[in-house]
Amino acid sequence: MTKANPYAVAQQQFEKAADFCSLPSTVRQILSQPKNELIVNFPVKMDSGDYKLFKGYRVQHNNLRGPYKGGIRYHHEVTLDEIKALAAWMTFKCALHDIPFGGAKGGIKFNPRDYSPTELERITRRFTHALGNNIGPEHDIPAPDVGTNGQTMVWMMDTYMAFAGAVSEHTSRGVVTGKTLAAGGSHGREAATGQGIVHCITEWARDRRFELNGATFMVQGFGNVGSHAAKILARTGASMVAVGDWKGYVANPDGINPFKLAEYVARTGSVVDYPGTHAIAREAFFATEVDIFIPAALELEIGVAEAKALKAKVIVEGANGPTDPSAEPIILEKGIALIPDILANSGGVAVSYYEWLQNKRSEVWDLEEVEEKLAKRMKRTYLAVSEFATSRKCDWRTAAMCISIGRIAKAYGERGIFP
Ligand code: GLU
């Protein structure tokens, strides 16, 4: 399938919400472009001894409400426009939750699967060095995204600290979030995005008096987000009947154990050929009869054809921007509920905020405390979006966007633009 430009899609969603809530034109102009777009080309020594040049990006969309915040993506199809879209979605995600962060995103255009761990470490450290003071614990705070993880963040932190100097070494710990526990990460961060998705699903089910025990679901993308969402959702008694990733799709109407599948994926790199499942085509995956669909892969995977095929009752956007705007009316007309990305996958950045706070205060919160705070925040924001959508008679994406840009507009209104 040919995909639209993600930045054009982000713009379209923003314009729709801005029209709906009559956003002042100054704020509309400011938010329609990122503040800073940084591109760095940097050489890295490969295991062979040869050098290779890499292209890295960091887009800082907005920092009115707090430091720029957002993940770092390692993927061979990374483009500036993709990173710009993802950075804008971070601004809206943080403001929706009333988290005092702005929005940013970064990435390197390469396929991390083609490189050794030692090469990945050198690529990450060189990239961090190239970013220099464009990141910082009070300025711009990266986190994991597609193709990166806790280890990537620890390499970034360690490299940043080495240049921060002895006196500010430990106050630099919060330069990245999503770190491993040993390096100062937070309990609950790794599973947080998946956990947040399941909070949305349980709220949705409660509202509609829908019984999750015995329900069916399918997941596209079985990385950090998809696998944790599947494992946590399985605890409610819901059963995963289809799953797919970059390599292919598999199904089993009697259920696929997400815990065992995650172990298999850790060993083999993909869900394909998982024992007890049969291979299905991408088209058949989208047409699977399920109650819940969690897209947790890349953006714009749900186009018109996919929307027409879908039979789910609810789509919970684990990925950022998985739905093309042309597919959205089809989904809504079919009566399928759509819980938008900036709400559905916001558990990750919420716990990133908790990690940053713990680092700042030299505290370590236990898992129960983090989970309790996350549950409360997700439910509160879910309710706010639900009430807005009902009272203002709009779709949930527009509702979430309006709450978010309304907060940003209020701050601009009171602060004004200097000089
Ligand atoms: N990459 C994640 C996202 O898209 C997490 C960002 C963060 O924790 O800063 O929301």
Side-chain angles (χ1 to χ4, degrees), residues 40-82:
V40 291
N41 294 295
F42 56 97
V44 181
K45 194 174 191 170
M46 299 289 101
D47 290 344
S48 65
D50 293 340
Y51 283 83
K52 206 173 160 178
L53 199 68
F54 289 83
K55 190 178 281 297
Y57 302 88
R58 186 69 182 170
V59 172
Q60 299 171 329
H61 179 260
N62 191 271
N63 66 345
L64 184 77
R65 305 183 75 258
Y68 298 109
K69 184 81 189 85
I72 298 281
R73 175 170 294 200
Y74 288 176
H75 194 271
H76 52 286
E77 280 165 356
V78 159
T79 64
L80 178 60
D81 275 355
E82 179 191 35

mmCIF file of all heavy atoms in Angstrom, residues 40-82:
data_model
loop_
_atom_site.group_PDB
_atom_site.id
_atom_site.type_symbol
_atom_site.label_atom_id
_atom_site.label_comp_id
_atom_site.label_asym_id
_atom_site.label_seq_id
_atom_site.Cartn_x
_atom_site.Cartn_y
_atom_site.Cartn_z
ATOM 1 N N VAL A 40 21.640 15.778 11.564
ATOM 2 C CA VAL A 40 23.090 15.596 11.746
ATOM 3 C C VAL A 40 23.562 14.391 10.919
ATOM 4 O O VAL A 40 22.888 13.370 10.868
ATOM 5 C CB VAL A 40 23.461 15.387 13.240
ATOM 6 C CG1 VAL A 40 23.255 16.661 14.040
ATOM 7 C CG2 VAL A 40 22.669 14.253 13.882
ATOM 8 N N ASN A 41 24.692 14.554 10.237
ATOM 9 C CA ASN A 41 25.315 13.430 9.528
ATOM 10 C C ASN A 41 26.606 13.116 10.277
ATOM 11 O O ASN A 41 27.420 14.014 10.492
ATOM 12 C CB ASN A 41 25.620 13.811 8.082
ATOM 13 C CG ASN A 41 24.337 14.058 7.306
ATOM 14 O OD1 ASN A 41 23.544 13.152 7.105
ATOM 15 N ND2 ASN A 41 24.106 15.298 6.898
ATOM 16 N N PHE A 42 26.743 11.878 10.715
ATOM 17 C CA PHE A 42 27.906 11.570 11.559
ATOM 18 C C PHE A 42 28.504 10.207 11.162
ATOM 19 O O PHE A 42 27.776 9.273 10.847
ATOM 20 C CB PHE A 42 27.503 11.597 13.045
ATOM 21 C CG PHE A 42 26.359 10.678 13.373
ATOM 22 C CD1 PHE A 42 26.589 9.422 13.886
ATOM 23 C CD2 PHE A 42 25.031 11.065 13.149
ATOM 24 C CE1 PHE A 42 25.539 8.561 14.172
ATOM 25 C CE2 PHE A 42 23.979 10.200 13.431
ATOM 26 C CZ PHE A 42 24.230 8.955 13.942
ATOM 27 N N PRO A 43 29.855 10.101 11.191
ATOM 28 C CA PRO A 43 30.499 8.838 10.811
ATOM 29 C C PRO A 43 30.635 7.891 12.007
ATOM 30 O O PRO A 43 30.813 8.343 13.139
ATOM 31 C CB PRO A 43 31.882 9.289 10.339
ATOM 32 C CG PRO A 43 32.152 10.548 11.105
ATOM 33 C CD PRO A 43 30.836 11.173 11.478
ATOM 34 N N VAL A 44 30.526 6.590 11.749
ATOM 35 C CA VAL A 44 30.682 5.590 12.817
ATOM 36 C C VAL A 44 31.582 4.462 12.303
ATOM 37 O O VAL A 44 31.460 4.038 11.147
ATOM 38 C CB VAL A 44 29.305 5.003 13.233
ATOM 39 C CG1 VAL A 44 29.476 3.986 14.364
ATOM 40 C CG2 VAL A 44 28.341 6.092 13.645
ATOM 41 N N LYS A 45 32.466 3.991 13.173
ATOM 42 C CA LYS A 45 33.354 2.883 12.799
ATOM 43 C C LYS A 45 32.589 1.567 12.930
ATOM 44 O O LYS A 45 32.031 1.267 13.985
ATOM 45 C CB LYS A 45 34.568 2.883 13.725
ATOM 46 C CG LYS A 45 35.702 2.018 13.241
ATOM 47 C CD LYS A 45 36.891 2.211 14.170
ATOM 48 C CE LYS A 45 38.126 1.579 13.597
ATOM 49 N NZ LYS A 45 39.306 1.973 14.393
ATOM 50 N N MET A 46 32.553 0.785 11.868
ATOM 51 C CA MET A 46 31.873 -0.506 11.879
ATOM 52 C C MET A 46 32.824 -1.588 12.420
ATOM 53 O O MET A 46 34.018 -1.365 12.543
ATOM 54 C CB MET A 46 31.431 -0.866 10.450
ATOM 55 C CG MET A 46 30.452 0.116 9.840
ATOM 56 S SD MET A 46 28.806 0.016 10.608
ATOM 57 C CE MET A 46 28.827 1.384 11.692
ATOM 58 N N ASP A 47 32.266 -2.771 12.725
ATOM 59 C CA ASP A 47 33.103 -3.858 13.244
ATOM 60 C C ASP A 47 34.200 -4.236 12.241
ATOM 61 O O ASP A 47 35.281 -4.676 12.619
ATOM 62 C CB ASP A 47 32.246 -5.099 13.539
ATOM 63 C CG ASP A 47 31.328 -4.868 14.746
ATOM 64 O OD1 ASP A 47 31.578 -3.902 15.504
ATOM 65 O OD2 ASP A 47 30.365 -5.644 14.919
ATOM 66 N N SER A 48 33.926 -4.047 10.952
ATOM 67 C CA SER A 48 34.905 -4.392 9.902
ATOM 68 C C SER A 48 36.099 -3.445 9.893
ATOM 69 O O SER A 48 37.104 -3.715 9.241
ATOM 70 C CB SER A 48 34.213 -4.321 8.545
ATOM 71 O OG SER A 48 33.836 -2.966 8.294
ATOM 72 N N GLY A 49 35.981 -2.298 10.578
ATOM 73 C CA GLY A 49 37.052 -1.298 10.555
ATOM 74 C C GLY A 49 36.736 -0.153 9.599
ATOM 75 O O GLY A 49 37.330 0.916 9.671
ATOM 76 N N ASP A 50 35.736 -0.373 8.706
ATOM 77 C CA ASP A 50 35.314 0.695 7.783
ATOM 78 C C ASP A 50 34.456 1.722 8.513
ATOM 79 O O ASP A 50 33.836 1.403 9.533
ATOM 80 C CB ASP A 50 34.472 0.112 6.638
ATOM 81 C CG ASP A 50 35.312 -0.793 5.748
ATOM 82 O OD1 ASP A 50 36.549 -0.662 5.771
ATOM 83 O OD2 ASP A 50 34.702 -1.650 5.062
ATOM 84 N N TYR A 51 34.359 2.914 7.938
ATOM 85 C CA TYR A 51 33.474 3.940 8.497
ATOM 86 C C TYR A 51 32.223 4.053 7.642
ATOM 87 O O TYR A 51 32.257 3.854 6.430
ATOM 88 C CB TYR A 51 34.187 5.306 8.534
ATOM 89 C CG TYR A 51 35.164 5.390 9.683
ATOM 90 C CD1 TYR A 51 36.451 4.856 9.565
ATOM 91 C CD2 TYR A 51 34.795 5.963 10.897
ATOM 92 C CE1 TYR A 51 37.344 4.905 10.622
ATOM 93 C CE2 TYR A 51 35.685 6.015 11.959
ATOM 94 C CZ TYR A 51 36.954 5.487 11.824
ATOM 95 O OH TYR A 51 37.823 5.531 12.872
ATOM 96 N N LYS A 52 31.125 4.382 8.317
ATOM 97 C CA LYS A 52 29.861 4.559 7.598
ATOM 98 C C LYS A 52 29.210 5.843 8.089
ATOM 99 O O LYS A 52 29.261 6.140 9.283
ATOM 100 C CB LYS A 52 28.956 3.354 7.892
ATOM 101 C CG LYS A 52 27.965 3.103 6.809
ATOM 102 C CD LYS A 52 27.207 1.828 7.011
ATOM 103 C CE LYS A 52 25.960 2.008 6.152
ATOM 104 N NZ LYS A 52 25.089 0.932 6.130
ATOM 105 N N LEU A 53 28.584 6.571 7.158
ATOM 106 C CA LEU A 53 27.940 7.834 7.533
ATOM 107 C C LEU A 53 26.451 7.601 7.812
ATOM 108 O O LEU A 53 25.768 6.935 7.033
ATOM 109 C CB LEU A 53 28.106 8.844 6.394
ATOM 110 C CG LEU A 53 27.914 10.306 6.784
ATOM 111 C CD1 LEU A 53 29.036 10.789 7.696
ATOM 112 C CD2 LEU A 53 27.846 11.182 5.528
ATOM 113 N N PHE A 54 25.967 8.136 8.919
ATOM 114 C CA PHE A 54 24.551 7.990 9.299
ATOM 115 C C PHE A 54 23.875 9.353 9.323
ATOM 116 O O PHE A 54 24.527 10.363 9.605
ATOM 117 C CB PHE A 54 24.437 7.329 10.682
ATOM 118 C CG PHE A 54 24.806 5.881 10.668
ATOM 119 C CD1 PHE A 54 26.138 5.497 10.744
ATOM 120 C CD2 PHE A 54 23.833 4.913 10.544
ATOM 121 C CE1 PHE A 54 26.489 4.156 10.708
ATOM 122 C CE2 PHE A 54 24.178 3.559 10.513
ATOM 123 C CZ PHE A 54 25.512 3.187 10.595
ATOM 124 N N LYS A 55 22.553 9.324 9.071
ATOM 125 C CA LYS A 55 21.769 10.572 9.113
ATOM 126 C C LYS A 55 20.814 10.515 10.301
ATOM 127 O O LYS A 55 20.008 9.591 10.398
ATOM 128 C CB LYS A 55 20.980 10.727 7.803
ATOM 129 C CG LYS A 55 20.327 12.107 7.657
ATOM 130 C CD LYS A 55 19.586 12.264 6.343
ATOM 131 C CE LYS A 55 20.467 12.558 5.154
ATOM 132 N NZ LYS A 55 21.192 13.829 5.221
ATOM 133 N N GLY A 56 20.967 11.469 11.216
ATOM 134 C CA GLY A 56 20.100 11.495 12.398
ATOM 135 C C GLY A 56 19.258 12.766 12.439
ATOM 136 O O GLY A 56 19.645 13.797 11.868
ATOM 137 N N TYR A 57 18.110 12.662 13.104
ATOM 138 C CA TYR A 57 17.184 13.795 13.188
ATOM 139 C C TYR A 57 16.785 14.060 14.645
ATOM 140 O O TYR A 57 16.695 13.134 15.434
ATOM 141 C CB TYR A 57 15.870 13.490 12.448
ATOM 142 C CG TYR A 57 16.023 13.142 10.999
ATOM 143 C CD1 TYR A 57 16.251 11.820 10.602
ATOM 144 C CD2 TYR A 57 15.922 14.114 10.009
ATOM 145 C CE1 TYR A 57 16.371 11.481 9.261
ATOM 146 C CE2 TYR A 57 16.035 13.783 8.665
ATOM 147 C CZ TYR A 57 16.262 12.466 8.296
ATOM 148 O OH TYR A 57 16.382 12.136 6.975
ATOM 149 N N ARG A 58 16.532 15.299 14.970
ATOM 150 C CA ARG A 58 15.823 15.633 16.201
ATOM 151 C C ARG A 58 14.959 16.840 15.876
ATOM 152 O O ARG A 58 15.474 17.896 15.487
ATOM 153 C CB ARG A 58 16.786 15.962 17.361
ATOM 154 C CG ARG A 58 16.086 16.165 18.708
ATOM 155 C CD ARG A 58 15.514 14.869 19.255
ATOM 156 N NE ARG A 58 14.802 15.055 20.526
ATOM 157 C CZ ARG A 58 14.048 14.116 21.097
ATOM 158 N NH1 ARG A 58 13.901 12.925 20.513
ATOM 159 N NH2 ARG A 58 13.438 14.348 22.239
ATOM 160 N N VAL A 59 13.670 16.642 15.999
ATOM 161 C CA VAL A 59 12.723 17.733 15.742
ATOM 162 C C VAL A 59 12.105 18.139 17.068
ATOM 163 O O VAL A 59 11.582 17.301 17.803
ATOM 164 C CB VAL A 59 11.636 17.306 14.730
ATOM 165 C CG1 VAL A 59 10.549 18.370 14.630
ATOM 166 C CG2 VAL A 59 12.247 17.050 13.361
ATOM 167 N N GLN A 60 12.200 19.428 17.384
ATOM 168 C CA GLN A 60 11.625 19.957 18.628
ATOM 169 C C GLN A 60 10.389 20.757 18.246
ATOM 170 O O GLN A 60 10.500 21.843 17.675
ATOM 171 C CB GLN A 60 12.679 20.809 19.332
ATOM 172 C CG GLN A 60 13.907 19.968 19.697
ATOM 173 C CD GLN A 60 15.083 20.765 20.201
ATOM 174 O OE1 GLN A 60 15.282 21.917 19.786
ATOM 175 N NE2 GLN A 60 15.886 20.174 21.068
ATOM 176 N N HIS A 61 9.242 20.182 18.522
ATOM 177 C CA HIS A 61 8.008 20.802 18.038
ATOM 178 C C HIS A 61 7.571 21.992 18.875
ATOM 179 O O HIS A 61 7.324 23.067 18.364
ATOM 180 C CB HIS A 61 6.889 19.756 17.961
ATOM 181 C CG HIS A 61 5.582 20.331 17.485
ATOM 182 N ND1 HIS A 61 4.558 20.668 18.353
ATOM 183 C CD2 HIS A 61 5.155 20.666 16.256
ATOM 184 C CE1 HIS A 61 3.558 21.161 17.651
ATOM 185 N NE2 HIS A 61 3.874 21.172 16.379
ATOM 186 N N ASN A 62 7.471 21.792 20.187
ATOM 187 C CA ASN A 62 7.004 22.892 21.042
ATOM 188 C C ASN A 62 7.470 22.681 22.483
ATOM 189 O O ASN A 62 7.509 21.554 22.951
ATOM 190 C CB ASN A 62 5.461 22.971 21.007
ATOM 191 C CG ASN A 62 4.945 24.245 21.646
ATOM 192 O OD1 ASN A 62 4.702 24.285 22.843
ATOM 193 N ND2 ASN A 62 4.799 25.306 20.861
ATOM 194 N N ASN A 63 7.832 23.780 23.174
ATOM 195 C CA ASN A 63 8.267 23.654 24.571
ATOM 196 C C ASN A 63 7.604 24.699 25.467
ATOM 197 O O ASN A 63 8.163 25.076 26.485
ATOM 198 C CB ASN A 63 9.795 23.734 24.699
ATOM 199 C CG ASN A 63 10.330 25.109 24.305
ATOM 200 O OD1 ASN A 63 9.618 25.901 23.689
ATOM 201 N ND2 ASN A 63 11.571 25.383 24.651
ATOM 202 N N LEU A 64 6.413 25.128 25.077
ATOM 203 C CA LEU A 64 5.749 26.153 25.887
ATOM 204 C C LEU A 64 5.423 25.644 27.290
ATOM 205 O O LEU A 64 5.556 26.363 28.272
ATOM 206 C CB LEU A 64 4.441 26.590 25.195
ATOM 207 C CG LEU A 64 3.714 27.719 25.901
ATOM 208 C CD1 LEU A 64 4.397 29.050 25.628
ATOM 209 C CD2 LEU A 64 2.250 27.780 25.482
ATOM 210 N N ARG A 65 4.996 24.379 27.383
ATOM 211 C CA ARG A 65 4.525 23.850 28.669
ATOM 212 C C ARG A 65 5.618 23.116 29.443
ATOM 213 O O ARG A 65 5.367 22.627 30.541
ATOM 214 C CB ARG A 65 3.324 22.924 28.436
ATOM 215 C CG ARG A 65 2.186 23.599 27.668
ATOM 216 C CD ARG A 65 0.993 22.693 27.516
ATOM 217 N NE ARG A 65 0.271 22.588 28.762
ATOM 218 C CZ ARG A 65 0.330 21.567 29.598
ATOM 219 N NH1 ARG A 65 1.055 20.522 29.313
ATOM 220 N NH2 ARG A 65 -0.352 21.582 30.708
ATOM 221 N N GLY A 66 6.821 23.009 28.888
ATOM 222 C CA GLY A 66 7.903 22.304 29.561
ATOM 223 C C GLY A 66 8.936 21.833 28.554
ATOM 224 O O GLY A 66 8.780 22.088 27.355
ATOM 225 N N PRO A 67 9.990 21.133 29.023
ATOM 226 C CA PRO A 67 11.042 20.687 28.110
ATOM 227 C C PRO A 67 10.488 19.845 26.959
ATOM 228 O O PRO A 67 9.475 19.150 27.114
ATOM 229 C CB PRO A 67 11.938 19.816 28.999
ATOM 230 C CG PRO A 67 11.589 20.144 30.403
ATOM 231 C CD PRO A 67 10.212 20.716 30.416
ATOM 232 N N TYR A 68 11.165 19.904 25.820
ATOM 233 C CA TYR A 68 10.794 19.050 24.682
ATOM 234 C C TYR A 68 10.895 17.598 25.142
ATOM 235 O O TYR A 68 11.791 17.238 25.897
ATOM 236 C CB TYR A 68 11.767 19.251 23.525
ATOM 237 C CG TYR A 68 11.793 20.654 22.956
ATOM 238 C CD1 TYR A 68 12.886 21.490 23.160
ATOM 239 C CD2 TYR A 68 10.730 21.128 22.186
ATOM 240 C CE1 TYR A 68 12.934 22.761 22.615
ATOM 241 C CE2 TYR A 68 10.764 22.407 21.644
ATOM 242 C CZ TYR A 68 11.867 23.224 21.859
ATOM 243 O OH TYR A 68 11.909 24.478 21.326
ATOM 244 N N LYS A 69 9.978 16.744 24.669
ATOM 245 C CA LYS A 69 9.960 15.342 25.122
ATOM 246 C C LYS A 69 9.511 14.428 24.006
ATOM 247 O O LYS A 69 8.517 14.711 23.339
ATOM 248 C CB LYS A 69 8.963 15.205 26.295
ATOM 249 C CG LYS A 69 8.943 13.816 26.899
ATOM 250 C CD LYS A 69 10.096 13.627 27.855
ATOM 251 C CE LYS A 69 10.261 12.193 28.326
ATOM 252 N NZ LYS A 69 11.051 11.360 27.384
ATOM 253 N N GLY A 70 10.241 13.328 23.823
ATOM 254 C CA GLY A 70 9.798 12.338 22.844
ATOM 255 C C GLY A 70 10.890 11.363 22.451
ATOM 256 O O GLY A 70 12.074 11.603 22.687
ATOM 257 N N GLY A 71 10.464 10.279 21.850
ATOM 258 C CA GLY A 71 11.340 9.144 21.592
ATOM 259 C C GLY A 71 12.353 9.326 20.475
ATOM 260 O O GLY A 71 12.366 10.324 19.759
ATOM 261 N N ILE A 72 13.198 8.297 20.377
ATOM 262 C CA ILE A 72 14.206 8.196 19.317
ATOM 263 C C ILE A 72 13.908 6.906 18.546
ATOM 264 O O ILE A 72 13.825 5.833 19.145
ATOM 265 C CB ILE A 72 15.636 8.082 19.909
ATOM 266 C CG1 ILE A 72 16.006 9.328 20.715
ATOM 267 C CG2 ILE A 72 16.663 7.774 18.816
ATOM 268 C CD1 ILE A 72 16.435 10.529 19.923
ATOM 269 N N ARG A 73 13.733 7.032 17.246
ATOM 270 C CA ARG A 73 13.372 5.887 16.417
ATOM 271 C C ARG A 73 14.543 5.441 15.542
ATOM 272 O O ARG A 73 15.170 6.281 14.894
ATOM 273 C CB ARG A 73 12.184 6.303 15.533
ATOM 274 C CG ARG A 73 11.761 5.267 14.534
ATOM 275 C CD ARG A 73 10.449 5.649 13.878
ATOM 276 N NE ARG A 73 9.344 5.651 14.847
ATOM 277 C CZ ARG A 73 8.061 5.579 14.520
ATOM 278 N NH1 ARG A 73 7.700 5.522 13.262
ATOM 279 N NH2 ARG A 73 7.125 5.583 15.450
ATOM 280 N N TYR A 74 14.831 4.139 15.530
ATOM 281 C CA TYR A 74 15.823 3.586 14.603
ATOM 282 C C TYR A 74 15.046 2.763 13.569
ATOM 283 O O TYR A 74 14.523 1.693 13.877
ATOM 284 C CB TYR A 74 16.816 2.661 15.323
ATOM 285 C CG TYR A 74 17.826 3.342 16.226
ATOM 286 C CD1 TYR A 74 18.727 2.583 16.985
ATOM 287 C CD2 TYR A 74 17.909 4.732 16.324
ATOM 288 C CE1 TYR A 74 19.668 3.195 17.804
ATOM 289 C CE2 TYR A 74 18.851 5.345 17.148
ATOM 290 C CZ TYR A 74 19.716 4.576 17.890
ATOM 291 O OH TYR A 74 20.643 5.172 18.704
ATOM 292 N N HIS A 75 14.981 3.254 12.353
ATOM 293 C CA HIS A 75 14.233 2.537 11.311
ATOM 294 C C HIS A 75 14.736 2.977 9.944
ATOM 295 O O HIS A 75 15.054 4.157 9.749
ATOM 296 C CB HIS A 75 12.726 2.824 11.455
ATOM 297 C CG HIS A 75 11.860 1.882 10.667
ATOM 298 N ND1 HIS A 75 11.505 2.121 9.370
ATOM 299 C CD2 HIS A 75 11.302 0.689 11.002
ATOM 300 C CE1 HIS A 75 10.760 1.113 8.926
ATOM 301 N NE2 HIS A 75 10.623 0.232 9.908
ATOM 302 N N HIS A 76 14.761 2.030 9.004
ATOM 303 C CA HIS A 76 15.341 2.349 7.687
ATOM 304 C C HIS A 76 14.455 3.273 6.854
ATOM 305 O O HIS A 76 14.893 3.766 5.821
ATOM 306 C CB HIS A 76 15.664 1.058 6.922
ATOM 307 C CG HIS A 76 14.516 0.103 6.836
ATOM 308 N ND1 HIS A 76 14.104 -0.649 7.921
ATOM 309 C CD2 HIS A 76 13.685 -0.200 5.827
ATOM 310 C CE1 HIS A 76 13.066 -1.391 7.565
ATOM 311 N NE2 HIS A 76 12.789 -1.123 6.312
ATOM 312 N N GLU A 77 13.197 3.484 7.290
ATOM 313 C CA GLU A 77 12.341 4.380 6.501
ATOM 314 C C GLU A 77 12.118 5.732 7.185
ATOM 315 O O GLU A 77 11.198 6.467 6.813
ATOM 316 C CB GLU A 77 10.999 3.695 6.227
ATOM 317 C CG GLU A 77 11.107 2.712 5.081
ATOM 318 C CD GLU A 77 9.942 1.766 4.992
ATOM 319 O OE1 GLU A 77 9.051 1.800 5.862
ATOM 320 O OE2 GLU A 77 9.933 0.969 4.031
ATOM 321 N N VAL A 78 12.934 6.061 8.192
ATOM 322 C CA VAL A 78 12.780 7.349 8.881
ATOM 323 C C VAL A 78 12.954 8.502 7.892
ATOM 324 O O VAL A 78 13.859 8.482 7.058
ATOM 325 C CB VAL A 78 13.809 7.456 10.037
ATOM 326 C CG1 VAL A 78 14.052 8.899 10.424
ATOM 327 C CG2 VAL A 78 13.345 6.665 11.255
ATOM 328 N N THR A 79 12.047 9.488 7.955
ATOM 329 C CA THR A 79 12.203 10.705 7.142
ATOM 330 C C THR A 79 11.982 11.911 8.048
ATOM 331 O O THR A 79 11.381 11.785 9.123
ATOM 332 C CB THR A 79 11.161 10.786 6.005
ATOM 333 O OG1 THR A 79 9.852 10.875 6.605
ATOM 334 C CG2 THR A 79 11.229 9.603 5.064
ATOM 335 N N LEU A 80 12.403 13.066 7.582
ATOM 336 C CA LEU A 80 12.200 14.289 8.357
ATOM 337 C C LEU A 80 10.703 14.526 8.601
ATOM 338 O O LEU A 80 10.296 14.862 9.715
ATOM 339 C CB LEU A 80 12.826 15.490 7.630
ATOM 340 C CG LEU A 80 12.649 16.842 8.319
ATOM 341 C CD1 LEU A 80 13.280 16.851 9.710
ATOM 342 C CD2 LEU A 80 13.243 17.969 7.464
ATOM 343 N N ASP A 81 9.878 14.320 7.556
ATOM 344 C CA ASP A 81 8.443 14.575 7.727
ATOM 345 C C ASP A 81 7.804 13.611 8.725
ATOM 346 O O ASP A 81 6.875 13.986 9.451
ATOM 347 C CB ASP A 81 7.716 14.500 6.376
ATOM 348 C CG ASP A 81 7.785 15.844 5.651
ATOM 349 O OD1 ASP A 81 8.297 16.821 6.251
ATOM 350 O OD2 ASP A 81 7.337 15.922 4.500
ATOM 351 N N GLU A 82 8.302 12.379 8.763
ATOM 352 C CA GLU A 82 7.772 11.424 9.749
ATOM 353 C C GLU A 82 8.112 11.914 11.166
ATOM 354 O O GLU A 82 7.258 11.939 12.055
ATOM 355 C CB GLU A 82 8.375 10.037 9.508
ATOM 356 C CG GLU A 82 7.878 9.000 10.519
ATOM 357 C CD GLU A 82 8.658 7.700 10.449
ATOM 358 O OE1 GLU A 82 9.870 7.734 10.194
ATOM 359 O OE2 GLU A 82 8.029 6.649 10.661
#
